[in-house]
Amino acid sequence: MNKQSNAYTIIYIIVLVVVVGAALAFTSISLKDRQNANADADKMRQILASVNVSPQAGQIQEEYARIIVDSYVVDQNGKKVEGDAFTVNVAAQSKLPASERLLPVYECRLDDGATKYILPMYGAGLWGPIWGYISVDSNGSDVYGAYFAHQGETPGLGAEIEKPAFSGQFAGKKLIKDGTFLPVAVVKAGQHPQGDEDYVDGISGGTITSKGVGAMIDNCIAPYDAFLRNLNK
């Protein structure tokens, strides 16, 4: 075949695309298990971060298995239902009415014997999704710790939600006051919420992201009201 002809060029391009495509598909399939394992390990790391546990990279799964003593799914009434907490799509569940949601719970036992309950969250920031975990004491009211992450918030502004300076404010805040469930509010520094709920200062210059965190907590933690009240009793 004439290598200078249009037909040769078209056939060459088709063969090249097929070969490269096949190689990429094979590589993707070969690495899928490893990619899934890495994603699971990162999720475990984030869950542990909400109780201030930060294992080294090679010890995440071992530490998770040691500290997370149980995980299950509850409904809006605080009753256990069928489901695997780790595989529940929190992003999808956060868009459903509270009465229809599957609510994952991770039960944690720290080295001092204290039990904590870790609840996942998912919401929207300025430029993309935000998510996180809040851990609660065994009384169902006091926040023990929190972890937040984002996909594309602005460095130095909204991205500051992932820093301990922000998440550390949640420790010691209360979700239940005088028998009433009140999600922790995120407000502009120097301001106070209109109600009696506990609050933290938002990120300076990251107003929309801060509001997104507040809305995420309200939307994702409020459905755990009955579950937390049962713990509180």
Side-chain angles (χ1 to χ4, degrees), residues 43-44 46-53 64 67-68 70-72 85 103-110 115-121 132-137 144-147 221 224 227-228 231:
K43 183 174 180 177
M44 293 176 185
Q46 296 179 26
I47 292 171
L48 294 177
S50 71
V51 287
N52 306 316
V53 176
Y64 179 89
I67 289 180
I68 303 299
D70 197 5
S71 62
Y72 42 85
L103 306 171
V105 177
Y106 301 91
E107 190 171 327
C108 168
R109 188 77 41 77
L110 297 179
T115 299
K116 312 297 177 184
Y117 296 87
I118 303 170
L119 315 177
M121 304 172 290
Y133 298 87
I134 278 186
S135 59
V136 184
D137 285 347
Y144 178 73
Y147 172 87
I221 303 302
Y224 287 94
F227 173 76
L228 294 174
L231 294 178

Side-chain angles (χ1 to χ4, degrees), residues 32-181:
K32 186 175 182 179
D33 289 343
R34 183 178 298 178
Q35 291 170 343
N36 290 340
N38 288 339
D40 288 349
D42 187 55
K43 183 174 180 177
M44 293 176 185
R45 177 190 64 79
Q46 296 179 26
I47 292 171
L48 294 177
S50 71
V51 287
N52 306 316
V53 176
S54 301
Q56 296 182 358
Q59 300 176 334
I60 294 175
Q61 293 174 322
E62 178 183 350
E63 194 71 355
Y64 179 89
R66 185 179 71 85
I67 289 180
I68 303 299
V69 296
D70 197 5
S71 62
Y72 42 85
V73 178
V74 300
D75 60 16
Q76 187 185 24
N77 298 316
K79 305 294 185 180
K80 290 185 180 181
V81 296
E82 291 292 329
D84 177 8
F86 196 81
T87 59
V88 168
N89 187 332
V90 178
Q93 294 297 316
S94 69
K95 297 176 176 62
L96 297 175
S99 60
E100 299 177 10
R101 293 188 200 178
L102 298 175
L103 306 171
V105 177
Y106 301 91
E107 190 171 327
C108 168
R109 188 77 41 77
L110 297 179
D111 289 338
D112 61 2
T115 299
K116 312 297 177 184
Y117 296 87
I118 303 170
L119 315 177
M121 304 172 290
Y122 189 92
L126 174 60
W127 301 113
I130 56 177
W131 62 92
Y133 298 87
I134 278 186
S135 59
V136 184
D137 285 347
S138 57
N139 62 12
S141 175
D142 298 340
V143 175
Y144 178 73
Y147 172 87
F148 300 98
H150 64 92
Q151 180 172 295
E153 300 306 289
T154 307
L157 298 175
E160 295 297 300
I161 63 171
E162 66 183 3
K163 300 294 182 61
F166 176 71
S167 60
Q169 298 181 83
F170 286 82
K173 303 300 182 182
K174 291 186 177 298
L175 294 172
I176 297 176
K177 287 187 173 182
D178 298 326
T180 301
F181 177 79

